[in-house]
Amino acid sequence: MTITDPRTGSHVIDRIVFSADEIEARIAELGREITDAVPADLDLVLIGMLKGSLPFLADLARAIPRPVRVDFMVAASYHAGTVSSGEVTLKYEPDTPLEGRFVVIVEDIIDSGTTLTRLLPMFEARKPAQLEVCALLHKRLATLDPPVKWVGFDAPSEFLVGYGLDYAEQFRNLPYIGVLRTDDG
Ligand code: IMP
Ligand code: MG
């Protein structure tokens, strides 16, 4: 699928970084790894960070052949001018009880790591039996503590769009992940 700007008729993606087939194959592996890691007697809860994780969460949940609960969270970060203050709050917190369960936070991409660093303690406070992160992409700019257990792909430090990732709320619908064309580049 190519996306064409209806006003100019030109393609908006410069380069595909991860194809739909590569993403599908990697998610099948992640699904198996998560399935194998969850003890049989624990309930598994996947919590997707909206909006970017939407396609990843949907495909990942279907790659896990065991009972699984799905919920969401919505985070808000506060910016003073163009600089992030590093302050993150939850606008929507999952209703699903997490105590004693195997909880996996599903993220589209880890960039600075600020979002997760702020949010993980809030989830720890709900006393899950185990709390892990599964991120489709990791730019490896930050090391999280504890480290992210499951990563789909190491990402280049470029701005990526597609498969949930947006630029100004556009391009989440691309079935692949790519780099935007810049007119001056
Ligand atoms: P962090 O808190 O800096 O790790 O930022 C993570 C969030 O920033 C992700 O969940 C994305 O919503 C957004 N983000 C970071 N890098 C990109 C990118 O290359 N394309 C689109 N969104 C990105
Ligand atoms: Mg975003």
Side-chain angles (χ1 to χ4, degrees), residues 21-166:
D21 286 348
E22 285 175 281
I23 295 169
E24 185 186 340
R26 185 68 186 114
I27 290 175
E29 290 175 353
L30 290 171
R32 276 193 294 274
E33 286 175 31
I34 293 172
T35 305
D36 290 347
V38 183
D41 59 340
L42 283 189
D43 274 346
L44 171 62
V45 188
L46 301 181
I47 299 177
M49 173 88 89
L50 289 180
K51 306 169 200 170
S53 75
L54 187 64
F56 180 40
L57 178 69
D59 287 341
L60 183 65
R62 288 178 292 174
I64 297 175
R66 60 127 44 224
V68 55
R69 287 165 212 266
V70 171
D71 210 330
F72 300 98
M73 63 176 156
V74 180
S77 340
Y78 291 94
H79 299 267
T82 55
V83 184
S84 171
S85 65
E87 200 183 312
V88 181
T89 59
L90 279 177
K91 281 164 71 178
Y92 172 79
E93 249 193 281
D95 290 332
T96 306
L98 305 182
E99 189 169 345
R101 292 182 164 162
F102 196 112
V103 176
V104 180
I105 306 288
V106 178
E107 255 282 40
D108 52 359
I109 185 165
I110 298 173
D111 187 3
S112 71
T114 308
T115 314
L116 279 178
T117 303
R118 304 295 157 142
L119 292 180
L120 286 178
M122 300 184 206
F123 285 93
E124 283 291 2
R126 293 176 60 174
K127 300 194 170 35
Q130 196 165 332
L131 178 65
E132 301 292 356
V133 175
C134 178
L136 181 61
L137 301 164
H138 199 320
K139 287 190 178 169
R140 305 286 179 196
L141 301 175
T143 311
L144 293 193
D145 181 28
V148 177
K149 189 171 176 78
W150 293 291
V151 173
F153 302 100
D154 283 356
S157 48
E158 289 173 274
F159 196 81
L160 304 173
V161 294
Y163 198 73
L165 295 168
D166 72 301

Side-chain angles (χ1 to χ4, degrees), residues 1-4 11-13 16 20 162-163 171-176:
M1 178 170 113
T2 51
I3 295 227
T4 306
H11 293 168
V12 298
I13 299 301
I16 295 177
Y163 198 73
F171 315 113
R172 295 192 197 275
N173 55 326
L174 290 172
Y176 50 80

